[in-house]
Amino acid sequence: MMEHKRKNTGLAPPVSTWIISAADASIGDRVVAPGEVLTVGRHADCDIVIAERYVSRRHAEVLVRDNRLFVRDLQSTYGTLVNGRPVTECELQPGDEIRIDRVVFVVRQPPAVPAGDNGTYSEGAGEAAGAQPAQPMRVERAVLVGISPAFLARKFELQAGKMLVGSGPDADIRLEDASVSAVHARITSERGRWKVVDILSANGTFVNGKKIQGAWLRPGDVVRFGSVNLQFADSE
């Protein structure tokens, strides 16, 4: 199997955060942030578990390097395909399809979100995975913008004080998805600084791909509740 490399066409500007989407609802969307490596395979310790006969225990990995997304086959028995071609390692572009046995992932970039009131936009402008700013950025008016297909472009305006996120009827931000707990997390604001806190949810809360108990937010950060991805933005 030969390494498949592709020249940069200039069509995909470097971004810090990427998304791979699977039609399989049990997998859904996964955010891949700088410094993060997602392993895919049949073993329960993998980040993305595919319990199929022709999937190796550790089949492949997806990672961001120099703000570009790559997939690497881990010497799997039946191989990893990108757009129908077997690869050992391949740089990915938006719209590419990664096939592992019967599961197909589609590569996407988060939509551009407002970075402020100066007319500029940023993609993935948040901190790298695991890095939280010592002094969180002040955002007077904030919004969560849907990235996952079922919530694409939906906007949830954030209100000062405390807001509950969940799938239940008492949630201020209601995400009707099986992966989201009835009361999943809360978002609080302190003098224009926003924080997300997990409330013992079943499937966790993540910021830029890193599981958190509590984290400050900055414009461009991707927040995942269960398998639902939303992007934090300045709405002014």
Side-chain angles (χ1 to χ4, degrees):
M1 188 184 299
M2 297 182 63
E3 182 174 3
H4 174 47
K5 293 185 176 179
R6 178 168 38 193
K7 293 182 180 179
N8 179 19
T9 63
L11 297 178
V15 297
S16 59
T17 302
W18 295 77
I19 296 172
I20 56 173
S21 300
D24 187 331
S26 66
I27 299 173
D29 296 347
R30 295 302 301 268
V31 172
V32 193
E36 186 176 22
V37 178
L38 295 183
T39 56
V40 185
R42 198 174 68 248
H43 195 277
D45 289 340
C46 290
D47 299 297
I48 300 176
V49 178
I50 303 177
E52 296 287 348
R53 178 180 177 184
Y54 298 111
V55 176
S56 298
R57 289 168 63 84
R58 285 176 54 85
H59 195 106
E61 60 185 17
V62 181
L63 66 151
V64 175
R65 185 169 65 229
D66 297 327
N67 286 341
R68 298 193 178 278
L69 187 67
F70 294 83
V71 62
R72 178 186 300 145
D73 186 80
L74 299 177
Q75 298 182 331
S76 64
T77 302
Y78 293 97
T80 301
L81 305 182
V82 173
N83 300 330
R85 298 180 59 182
V87 301
T88 53
E89 180 172 321
C90 179
E91 180 180 350
L92 300 167
Q93 303 287 349
D96 282 349
E97 292 187 350
I98 309 165
R99 177 179 289 273
I100 297 175
D101 191 41
R102 292 182 296 178
V103 177
V104 176
F105 299 89
V106 178
V107 176
R108 296 192 295 116
Q109 292 175 344
V113 298
D117 58 3
N118 58 1
T120 63
Y121 291 81
S122 68
E123 291 184 351
E127 296 290 309
Q132 288 298 325
Q135 296 294 327
M137 183 181 296
R138 289 180 63 90
V139 179
E140 295 301 334
R141 297 179 61 188
V143 64
L144 290 173
V145 182
I147 296 175
S148 296
F151 298 89
L152 190 63
R154 283 183 59 183
K155 294 184 178 181
F156 301 91
E157 295 285 344
L158 300 182
Q159 306 297 326
K162 180 190 300 183
M163 299 186 72
L164 291 177
V165 181
S167 59
D170 294 331
D172 301 298
I173 298 174
R174 191 171 183 184
L175 305 175
E176 295 181 340
D177 186 273
S179 68
V180 179
S181 298
V183 179
H184 195 107
R186 67 173 178 268
I187 296 177
T188 60
S189 64
E190 300 176 13
R191 297 185 297 277
R193 297 175 174 88
W194 300 85
K195 188 174 187 178
V196 59
V197 178
D198 185 80
I199 309 177
L200 298 176
S201 65
N203 295 311
T205 301
F206 301 75
V207 175
N208 297 331
K210 181 178 177 63
K211 190 172 185 178
I212 58 95
Q213 292 301 316
W216 294 103
L217 297 174
R218 302 187 73 184
D221 282 346
V222 176
V223 187
R224 173 158 60 92
F225 305 100
S227 62
V228 176
N229 287 288
L230 306 173
Q231 194 163 30
F232 180 78
D234 188 337
S235 65
E236 292 188 343

